[in-house]
Amino acid sequence: MKVVRLEDVINSEQHVKSDNWESRRLLLKKDNMGYSVHDTVIKAGTETHIWYQNHLEAVYCIEGEGEVETVADGKVWPIKANEIYALDKHDEHYLRAHTDMRMVCVFDPPITGQETHNEDGVYELVED
């Protein structure tokens, strides 16, 4: 059994920040669950290019409003609290936050916690 408190992750090595977002990484590869779970805040007024070529991601929005635009077809998907979207085809996309958005993100395969987006918006696979 494992219990992780968000307050213990904030400002630890599992709290990763960028100009557009903050990711509080609750469960990681080292936890041997087969996926990782993140509590992420996307900052209002930002646009982030993301392309998880090596991971599948499901994102549950628990606060705020924004949109996801899939690059392949230019389709825009409005996102608001109590909705989930799944990037089930390694979809290259833009995430835009109209307000601060708080998201619960699940990655398969799990990340180690050391990943950051490269210039293409990709998390490279990192071995621990």
Side-chain angles (χ1 to χ4, degrees), residues 70-116:
T70 47
V71 171
D73 58 10
K75 185 165 183 173
V76 176
W77 306 83
I79 303 296
K80 63 182 190 270
N82 302 315
E83 295 179 346
I84 190 169
Y85 65 92
L87 300 159
D88 60 341
K89 295 180 177 57
H90 303 280
D91 308 270
E92 182 178 6
H93 62 286
Y94 291 95
L95 175 58
R96 298 182 188 103
H98 303 312
T99 66
D100 282 349
M101 300 175 75
R102 186 167 173 211
M103 322 285 256
V104 175
C105 308
V106 178
F107 285 88
D108 177 26
I111 70 164
T112 67
Q114 302 308 306
E115 294 85 349
T116 57

Side-chain angles (χ1 to χ4, degrees), residues 23-123:
S23 177
R24 289 84 66 101
R25 297 168 174 186
L26 303 170
L27 292 174
L28 296 167
K29 184 177 181 180
K30 68 180 179 173
D31 296 304
N32 297 312
M33 294 297 297
Y35 53 85
S36 56
V37 178
H38 313 222
D39 181 306
T40 301
V41 176
I42 310 297
K43 297 177 184 174
T46 62
E47 175 182 89
T48 305
H49 174 240
I50 307 170
W51 188 10
Y52 296 122
Q53 296 173 338
N54 301 308
H55 300 83
L56 295 175
E57 182 189 26
V59 180
Y60 181 61
C61 180
I62 57 176
E63 292 177 12
E65 294 185 17
E67 64 187 28
V68 175
E69 178 181 351
T70 47
V71 171
D73 58 10
K75 185 165 183 173
V76 176
W77 306 83
I79 303 296
K80 63 182 190 270
N82 302 315
E83 295 179 346
I84 190 169
Y85 65 92
L87 300 159
D88 60 341
K89 295 180 177 57
H90 303 280
D91 308 270
E92 182 178 6
H93 62 286
Y94 291 95
L95 175 58
R96 298 182 188 103
H98 303 312
T99 66
D100 282 349
M101 300 175 75
R102 186 167 173 211
M103 322 285 256
V104 175
C105 308
V106 178
F107 285 88
D108 177 26
I111 70 164
T112 67
Q114 302 308 306
E115 294 85 349
T116 57
H117 294 115
N118 70 15
E119 63 278 356
D120 294 321
V122 175
Y123 277 167

